[in-house]
């Protein structure tokens, strides 16, 4: 696999940090709202019908993932997990809630997938499957 040019690598790092910072802010805020039982989150999970335990689980995943996005070594792994969480949210809005709330989760899925791809060397190193160059 050819090496990235220094300019391309720098650009990808900047893009990753922008997505990581924005993602961390969104996930920390929204996850906290779920854990603190903000009324709109309680109502949404009531509509889903899976029980409020799911709100707590998703909220905890978002808060932990949002914090992990701010650590370069764990950002890729966090982004990978969060992309699964928000892809599930997008699908839930389309197929269960049948509303237009799928747009933000879809955008967040794409942003987190980009971070996971950019940070894949760190993720592989974290898993003991490679080294960070």
């Amino acid at each position: 696999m050819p090496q990235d040019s220094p300019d391309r690598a720098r650009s990808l790092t900047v893009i990753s940090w922008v997505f990581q910072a924005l993602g961390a802010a969104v996930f920390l805020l929204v996850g906290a709202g779920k854990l603190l039982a903000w009324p709109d989150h309680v109502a949404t999970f009531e509509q889903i019908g899976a029980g409020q335990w799911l709100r707590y689980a998703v909220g905890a995943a978002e808060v932990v993932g949002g914090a992990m996005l701010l650590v370069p070594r764990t950002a890729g792994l966090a982004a990978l997990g969060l992309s699964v969480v928000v892809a599930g949210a997008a699908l839930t809005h389309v197929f269960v809630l049948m509303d237009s709330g799928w747009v933000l989760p879809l955008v967040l899925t794409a942003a987190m997938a980009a971070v996971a791809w950019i940070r894949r060397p760190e993720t592989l190193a974290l898993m003991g499957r490679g080294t960070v160059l």
Side-chain angles (χ1 to χ4, degrees):
M1 173 157 49
Q3 289 284 61
D4 285 341
S5 72
D7 288 339
R8 183 171 188 267
R10 192 170 329 161
S11 296
L12 288 175
T13 300
V14 169
I15 290 167
S16 180
W17 272 111
V18 168
F19 286 169
Q20 286 170 233
L22 292 173
V26 168
F27 287 114
L28 288 169
L29 178 66
V30 172
K34 289 179 175 107
L35 293 175
L36 295 172
W38 290 355
D40 57 329
H41 293 298
V42 172
T44 298
F45 280 84
E46 201 167 286
Q47 276 185 286
I48 292 169
Q52 294 300 310
W53 68 269
L54 183 60
R55 175 176 53 84
Y56 287 111
V58 171
E62 289 174 344
V63 168
V64 170
M68 288 175 62
L69 282 174
L70 298 174
V71 179
R73 186 172 181 179
T74 61
L77 190 59
L80 188 60
L82 288 168
S83 66
V84 171
V85 170
V86 291
L91 292 171
T92 299
H93 279 281
V94 170
F95 294 110
V96 177
L97 300 173
M98 294 184 224
D99 64 19
S100 62
W102 58 269
V103 177
L104 179 60
L106 187 64
V107 170
L108 286 169
T109 300
M112 292 302 100
V115 170
W117 180 79
I118 294 167
R119 294 288 187 177
R120 71 192 180 284
E122 291 90 343
T123 303
L124 290 172
L126 189 65
M127 295 170 29
R129 297 191 174 243
T131 58
V132 177
L133 301 175

